[in-house]
Structure formats: structure tokens, C-alpha cells
Amino acid sequence: MSETSPAGSAEAPGTPDFDDMTRDIAEVPAVEVIVTVAVNLMSAAAVKLGLTEEGEKYKDLDEARKLIHALAGLLDGSATEISSFHAAPLRDGLKSLQLAFREASLVPDEPGQGPGEKYTGPIYG
């Protein structure tokens, strides 16, 4: 017998339904959600900067710029909501990504114009 959702459509066995997913996310503290999103942005930016084992295969500086900028905005916007215990390593990771971006760019941005520098201030490298 297959399970059906309230709308009547069959769900694949083992697939959580929306209510289960909602309950699961409801139990996660906001700080953990923010940190998880930040780590995902950092990881994606590192891949797009070519900092993984596969390096050049996925390198895309335009995509990296967007991800770094989004990470900086998230960290700036959530600075008062997460403790320095969580924020400090994320800020360090952001700065490392900004420096890696600057080094990877053939024509580096002017200080203060690089990705996320609107939020962090100029990065010199």
C-alpha cells in the first residue's frame, strides 16, 4: 500500500512529508540555521574560486563574487543575532575568501569594491 498526502498524491516510500520537514526545521535554533547557511555559502564560494581538489574545473569568479557578497551581507545582517563565538570564525572565513578572490582576479577590484567589501570594508592583500 502506498501512502498518500492530504492532497491525495502518492508519496515515495521513505520520503518525508512536508509536515515532518516543517516540524524538523521548527526545532532548529535560528543561530544554527544562520551558521549553516553561511557555511554553505562559504563552501560554494570556495568551489567557485577553484580552491577544491578539482580546482579549475568549477572555477567561476562571477559566481564566486555573488556568493561572497551574499555571505558578507548575511554576516553583516546577523551580526547582532549570533554570538561572537559563531561570528568570528565565519568572518575569518569570509576574509580568506575575499583575499582568495582578489588573488584569483586577473584585474583586481579597487580596495573597497571587491565582493562583500560594501559590508566588511576594504580588503588589502
Side-chain angles (χ1 to χ4, degrees), residues 31-114:
V31 170
E32 191 173 325
V33 173
I34 293 167
V35 169
T36 299
V37 170
V39 169
N40 285 332
L41 286 168
M42 291 174 77
S43 298
V47 169
K48 296 298 184 177
L49 284 170
L51 301 176
T52 62
E53 286 182 15
E54 296 168 342
E56 296 294 318
K57 183 176 180 181
Y58 299 109
K59 188 173 182 178
D60 184 334
L61 294 182
D62 185 52
E63 290 290 299
R65 176 184 293 278
K66 293 170 188 171
L67 292 162
I68 294 167
H69 191 77
L71 174 62
L74 174 64
L75 294 181
D76 183 61
S78 63
T80 59
E81 306 302 324
I82 61 176
S83 67
S84 60
F85 173 78
H86 294 292
L90 295 173
R91 282 193 301 267
D92 290 345
L94 170 60
K95 184 174 181 179
S96 295
L97 290 169
Q98 289 172 310
L99 288 168
F101 183 91
R102 185 168 293 286
E103 290 174 11
S105 298
L106 295 176
V107 180
D109 296 313
E110 292 293 320
Q113 301 302 309

